[in-house]
Amino acid sequence: MMNDNAQNLRQSDLTHYMHPFTDTEALGKEGGARIIIRAEGAYIWDISGNKILDGMAGLWCVNIGYGRKELADAAARQMNTLPYYNSFFKTATVPSIELAQQLAARTPAGLNHVFYANSGSEANDTIVRMVRYYWELEGEAQRQIIIGRNHGYHGSTSVTASLSGPHMHGQGGVPLPGFSHIAAPYLFGADTELDAEAFGIQAAQALEERILELGADKVAAFIGEPVQGSGGMIVPPASYWGEIQRICKKYGILLVADEVITGFGRTGKWFASELYDIQPDFMTLAKGLSSGYRFLVISSG
């Protein structure tokens, strides 16, 4: 049963707090949000005293569990020493330098530079600008189109919603121009008699078909999550990413691995790119980078 404090908090939540991906009217009819008040290890507790196994690890981010005292202590030391300073105006801080060095050492070969952002959405938004600026510097400014996939999720800004699949489109003028999408390598949901290996090749070849349809000289990059979160945790066939990489190299297309939910041990490797032998030109990191504690930085790309 709800106590008076819980009822008051739920009403205040409905009155003032706009939740993402939520129908506020429907939430009100259900009696309001579940209010989480504490967490430890892999469990969370709500305001009614229910202990819940957090199978989603927050929002696919609390990779090392809740209540890690060593992280709280590290955060307190940093807050007391230097809680914040910007990196504009030819300035840096010791933690930002040291973390960039650590990330460069652990990410796949060739990824030697880190750009910090405030979220996975912002990091992917920045990558779109970087990709297009790269082609401008290469004298091919007409390469503007970035190809994503159905069921893809890359963020909730106007740009990253455009990168994402059609389930993120149709509101607020999204998708913006300059984005295209192909089918996901979703064998379970496909009407096919192909085995997994053949289906993986076929799904990847949809990229080549789209490149030729749009014009290879107009395509800037392909972006994909090694394992797709939206659509039901879509694990690609083993043959898929090798063929994607072959096609990107054939047409000189940049390859972006969105490792926001798959990075930092989620798949048993530091990064899922290692699992699938992906050699990305850009990699987006977030979530597990700070295990949701967010006391230093959130993402790099």
Side-chain angles (χ1 to χ4, degrees), residues 41 63 244:
N63 291 24
I244 286 288

Side-chain angles (χ1 to χ4, degrees), residues 4 7-8 11 15-16 30 32 37 39 56 79 91 116 123-125 156 161 206 226 228 231 282:
D4 289 343
Q7 288 178 319
N8 291 337
Q11 186 56 53
T15 303
H16 301 293
E30 294 170 11
I37 58 170
M56 281 184 62
M79 289 288 185
T91 305
Y116 294 120
N124 277 323
D125 199 304
S156 56
Q228 291 182 257
F282 292 88

Side-chain angles (χ1 to χ4, degrees), residues 33 36 53 69 83 130 163 254:
I36 307 303
L53 177 63
K69 185 177 183 301
M130 287 183 172
L163 277 178
L254 297 174

Side-chain angles (χ1 to χ4, degrees), residues 10-122:
R10 284 193 173 94
Q11 186 56 53
S12 182
D13 177 72
L14 287 168
T15 303
H16 301 293
Y17 191 177
M18 296 179 67
H19 293 255
F21 293 90
T22 301
D23 182 329
T24 303
E25 183 178 1
L27 182 64
K29 290 177 180 178
E30 294 170 11
R34 181 191 297 275
I35 300 172
I36 307 303
I37 58 170
R38 71 184 184 94
E40 183 178 349
Y43 292 91
I44 54 176
W45 281 260
D46 69 16
I47 201 167
S48 299
N50 297 305
K51 180 181 180 181
I52 304 160
L53 177 63
D54 184 16
M56 281 184 62
L59 194 64
W60 301 288
C61 59
V62 190
N63 291 24
I64 59 173
Y66 298 98
R68 298 295 292 262
K69 185 177 183 301
E70 64 270 36
L71 292 189
D73 290 345
R77 286 195 301 271
Q78 186 61 49
M79 289 288 185
N80 286 322
T81 303
L82 179 68
Y84 160 80
Y85 199 74
N86 73 80
S87 58
F88 286 58
F89 316 117
K90 304 177 183 178
T91 305
T93 63
V94 173
S96 63
I97 295 168
E98 292 180 342
L99 180 58
Q101 182 179 25
Q102 292 288 328
L103 289 172
R106 285 172 170 77
T107 49
L111 298 179
N112 299 317
H113 300 89
V114 173
F115 185 91
Y116 294 120
N118 292 307
S119 68
S121 294
E122 187 180 309

